Amino acid sequence: MAVPTPTTYSRQVGHHGVTIWNGVWAGTGEFTATVLTDVSALSEGYNTTLKLKRITVNCTAGLSALIEYDCTTNQLILEHPIGNTGPISLDFSMLSGGGLPKTAAGSTGDLVLTTLSAAAADAIYIYAEWKVV
């Protein structure tokens, strides 16, 4: 079976924005480097590079999720491991420049999701605050 069709919300106001993403599986199937936030599609003239300010990921116990910057070799931001039943939240807003920058070569700056071990009734929720420059 295929991956779920996620419920998504994304909003940009000036340099700042939010992405909310939720998916529930009816069967099996994995997301592989699926774009959560597409930097080139952002508006208001701010679409060069993304810095992640805050992120929360919550998955059911049987699902693993990787959040990365899309690069030649993707840059890991967060892994929600199989067996973890609570949310993982990271706050990068206090870093110099106001967020976690992409540093790997060949980067589009997009925020991407890869899942492993999905089965029926698994679910994932992602909340990401970001800024673009």
Side-chain angles (χ1 to χ4, degrees):
M1 297 189 77
V3 296
T5 300
T7 302
T8 63
Y9 174 80
S10 189
R11 175 83 167 123
Q12 178 185 2
V13 178
H15 288 278
H16 303 274
V18 63
T19 299
I20 301 169
W21 200 94
N22 185 64
V24 179
W25 276 257
T28 59
E30 306 297 347
F31 288 102
T32 304
T34 299
V35 175
L36 300 172
T37 304
D38 181 355
V39 174
S40 63
L42 296 177
S43 61
E44 302 186 31
Y46 308 115
N47 59 3
T48 305
T49 186
L50 184 136
K51 286 186 178 182
L52 191 59
K53 294 174 16 177
R54 291 178 190 85
I55 188 163
T56 298
V57 177
N58 196 13
C59 301
T60 51
L63 183 64
S64 174
L66 295 174
I67 307 296
E68 300 171 303
Y69 281 123
D70 184 23
C71 305
T72 303
T73 300
N74 286 353
Q75 178 183 333
L76 179 64
I77 297 168
L78 178 149
E79 179 180 6
H80 194 288
I82 291 175
N84 187 16
T85 58
I88 296 176
S89 295
L90 301 174
D91 185 346
F92 302 111
S93 63
M94 299 305 286
L95 293 176
S96 177
L100 181 69
K102 60 176 180 53
T103 56
S107 177
T108 64
D110 293 346
L111 199 58
V112 297
L113 164 70
T114 298
T115 60
L116 298 168
S117 191
D122 277 336
I124 184 171
Y125 171 82
I126 301 165
Y127 172 85
E129 289 179 38
W130 40 265
K131 69 184 258 183
V132 288
V133 291

